[in-house]
Amino acid sequence: GESVGLHLPTLSVQEGDNSIINCAYSNSASDYFIWYKQESGKGPQFIIDIRSNMDKRQGQRVTVLLNKTVKHLSLQIAATQPGDSAVYFCAESGGSNYKLTFGKGTLLTVNP
Amino acid sequence: DAMVIQNPRYQVTQFGKPVTLSCSQTLNHNVMYWYQQKSSQAPKLLFHYYDKDFNNEADTPDNFQSRRPNTSFCFLDIRSPGLGDAAMYSCATSRDVGGDSPLHFGNGTRLTVT
């Protein structure tokens, strides 16, 4: 059967609170970043992206912040809802690597 | 409506018995990818097609092969599945490679090897 995977970082929040999910990347040449949401039994779903010429981008209830100096990316979810419970992956590409590289996911659990 | 469709959702095969997973897309995207995802891990790229050009990842085992007969369809063939190949296999597409072309994923096929 499947091998046992690594334990995911987890974040547990109360419904209505804001959530912040963090991601560190190592490739200083990366210039494109995406956040994906993956619910149980489903494929990753695109949430929001940002290019390296920006440091903030907002969507509906979500904000992505990019700090290129420390190679850090974060996803903020406002007024977190139970439907936001999922694993969140950051992904990056850029430089000589045009293919997306996924980071380690974070399991978000929203408590009602 | 689903734009990247994978069939079946669940596939059971026996150790060593060849199996094929299917993916189709209605987006008319140039690039199609196959990812392997094991429990609690990030998706791992196996290979991708840019149009008809096949690009294999260096660490993808020879046991894994792919075919793209046309723009819409892409197949993952596992010639001799081992127990370690049990995983979720996700197909994805993108208009182009690199920035400004996010991947669109299907819902995956969960493969069980008995």
Side-chain angles (χ1 to χ4, degrees):
Chain A
E2 274 187 302
S3 60
V4 175
L6 300 172
H7 290 291
L8 284 174
T10 58
L11 175 65
S12 183
V13 301
Q14 290 298 121
E15 181 177 359
D17 287 352
N18 296 333
S19 303
I20 300 176
I21 301 171
N22 296 302
C23 179
Y25 64 95
S26 58
N27 184 3
S28 57
S30 292
D31 60 9
Y32 181 60
F33 305 86
I34 306 179
W35 279 101
Y36 283 94
K37 171 187 180 183
Q38 187 171 23
E39 296 175 88
S40 180
K42 296 184 178 180
Q45 177 187 0
F46 172 88
I47 301 174
I48 192 168
D49 59 359
I50 189 169
R51 292 200 63 86
S52 60
N53 60 352
M54 302 173 69
D55 52 21
K56 180 179 180 179
R57 192 170 187 210
Q58 288 185 293
Q60 187 176 12
R61 280 202 308 119
V62 295
T63 301
V64 56
L65 298 177
L66 174 62
N67 185 331
K68 295 180 288 295
T69 302
V70 296
K71 296 199 279 290
H72 183 268
L73 190 69
S74 68
L75 177 70
Q76 299 179 359
I77 305 174
T80 314
Q81 302 168 0
D84 295 325
S85 294
V87 176
Y88 290 80
F89 291 98
C90 63
E92 56 172 306
S93 69
S96 61
N97 177 27
Y98 63 86
K99 292 170 284 188
L100 276 181
T101 300
F102 282 82
K104 191 172 184 178
T106 296
L107 173 63
L108 175 66
T109 302
V110 182
N111 302 308
Chain B
D1 289 335
M3 295 176 286
V4 182
I5 303 157
Q6 292 188 244
N7 285 304
R9 289 295 308 278
Y10 301 93
Q11 175 74 55
V12 180
T13 191
Q14 293 177 332
F15 182 94
K17 185 175 181 180
V19 65
T20 294
L21 309 183
S22 302
C23 177
S24 64
Q25 57 138 337
T26 59
L27 297 163
N28 203 35
H29 280 172
N30 291 315
V31 195
M32 295 187 78
Y33 308 78
W34 279 104
Y35 281 84
Q36 179 192 64
Q37 191 173 16
K38 297 190 175 181
S39 180
S40 301
Q41 296 184 23
K44 177 181 180 298
L45 182 63
L46 296 173
F47 26 58
H48 74 279
Y49 273 94
Y50 191 106
D51 195 12
K52 296 180 181 178
D53 292 332
F54 178 71
N55 297 270
N56 199 30
E57 293 300 296
D59 57 354
T60 297
D62 293 341
N63 198 24
F64 292 85
Q65 313 254 311
S66 186
R67 296 170 284 135
R68 190 180 185 185
N70 54 52
T71 301
S72 300
F73 286 87
C74 196
F75 301 98
L76 169 62
D77 301 308
I78 309 176
R79 291 192 299 185
S80 182
L83 297 180
D85 295 329
M88 172 77 84
Y89 291 88
S90 292
C91 173
T93 73
S94 65
R95 178 177 43 81
D96 210 326
V97 295
D100 296 328
S101 288
L103 272 61
H104 299 262
F105 282 85
N107 277 329
T109 294
R110 180 163 295 283
L111 178 69
T112 300
V113 182
T114 61

